[in-house]
Amino acid sequence: MPNLCAKTAFESEDQVIKPNIAKQLFFAIMGTFIAAVGVRLIVVSGLGADAISTLVLGILQHVPLKFGTVSMLFNGIILIIIFFYDRKMIGIGSLINSFGLGFCLNILDWAGILHTIPSGMGYLSIIAGSIVFGFGTGIYLLADAGSAAYESLMILLKRGLKSSVKVARIILDAAIFLTGFLLGGHIGWGTLIVLLLMGPSLEMTLNQLPKLKFFRVQEVK
């Protein structure tokens, strides 16, 4: 990716690199919505769920709350922990993704989108959903407007293990899947597909999209 900090003969000394806030918000919202579509594709496959959904479904076996409520509580608690650990990771995008994902899923439900899929399309749905989920999450992270709750955990794990995004995501997903399963959440063959495809899809998005100028949120001002 070009070094935007390098000044040319036509640039003045007082020019600085600043984020394009409009782009940041756009990518945060767009990435969150795409991720919601991915989650929906995974859930309607009937073959298993993504890590967070598995955990939430497990928790719901023990508390009289709704899915969205548990999801928001989980994200809220994680964001509070991250705020005190490294508040630089938290931004407006953190709120957009952490709470907007559930809102987008409600919109899809209200619009009647992806309520069902044709018979025999389960595996195709969960494969597509895993890739779309990773793609949407990657776009959100490229917005650089603050890390969402789950992605914050992934980043902390990546730092602690000094590993790649792919490895950190797979390890975190495996831990959350196991916790959800032990609490009573359902795990199917599709769960393994999500576990194996989500991390690579996310890493490819983070590595490839910044090569396109449109997906860069930093610019010279």
Side-chain angles (χ1 to χ4, degrees):
M1 185 168 70
N3 182 4
L4 296 179
C5 294
K7 297 184 180 297
T8 68
F10 300 100
E11 295 177 353
S12 62
E13 290 299 323
D14 60 349
Q15 286 181 321
V16 295
I17 305 299
K18 290 185 177 180
N20 184 320
I21 297 177
K23 266 192 173 184
Q24 286 183 302
L25 292 177
F26 174 72
F27 289 144
I29 295 172
M30 181 175 71
T32 297
F33 183 78
I34 292 174
V37 172
V39 170
R40 194 66 192 166
L41 284 168
I42 292 170
V43 172
V44 298
S45 73
L47 299 173
D50 61 281
I52 292 297
S53 296
T54 301
L55 176 62
V56 171
L57 290 172
I59 294 175
L60 288 177
Q61 303 300 314
H62 307 279
V63 296
L65 298 175
K66 293 184 178 181
F67 187 99
T69 301
V70 174
S71 178
M72 286 189 287
L73 285 173
F74 172 81
N75 286 329
I77 291 172
I78 295 300
L79 285 180
I80 291 173
I81 294 173
I82 296 299
F83 178 80
F84 287 104
Y85 182 84
D86 186 357
R87 63 186 61 186
K88 292 180 180 179
M89 296 174 66
I90 306 298
I92 184 62
S94 305
L95 301 178
I96 291 175
N97 187 270
S98 296
F99 301 106
L101 187 64
F103 179 72
C104 290
L105 287 170
N106 287 338
I107 290 178
L108 293 174
D109 281 335
W110 174 78
I113 298 174
L114 293 176
H115 276 190
T116 60
I117 56 174
S119 177
M121 297 289 286
Y123 280 102
L124 179 61
S125 178
I126 201 167
I127 289 172
S130 301
I131 295 173
V132 171
F133 190 18
F135 179 66
T137 300
I139 290 178
Y140 161 76
L141 290 176
L142 288 176
D144 195 25
S147 299
Y150 198 63
E151 280 59 51
S152 295
L153 288 179
M154 179 192 70
I155 292 171
L156 292 182
L157 184 61
K158 176 179 179 296
R159 291 178 182 175
L161 297 177
K162 297 181 180 179
S163 67
S164 66
V165 169
K166 177 173 61 179
V167 171
R169 184 72 187 213
I170 290 176
I171 292 175
L172 179 60
D173 280 352
I176 297 298
F177 272 129
L178 178 60
T179 302
F181 175 73
L182 293 176
L183 289 173
H186 172 68
I187 292 182
W189 283 109
T191 301
L192 180 61
I193 294 175
V194 177
L195 182 61
L196 294 177
L197 293 183
M198 171 62 188
S201 174
L202 171 60
E203 185 169 49
M204 184 177 68
T205 301
L206 293 175
N207 289 338
Q208 299 302 317
L209 286 192
K211 295 178 181 179
L212 304 176
K213 185 177 180 180
F214 177 72
F215 288 96
R216 300 172 196 163
V217 297
Q218 304 290 330
E219 60 184 26
V220 176
K221 292 188 177 180

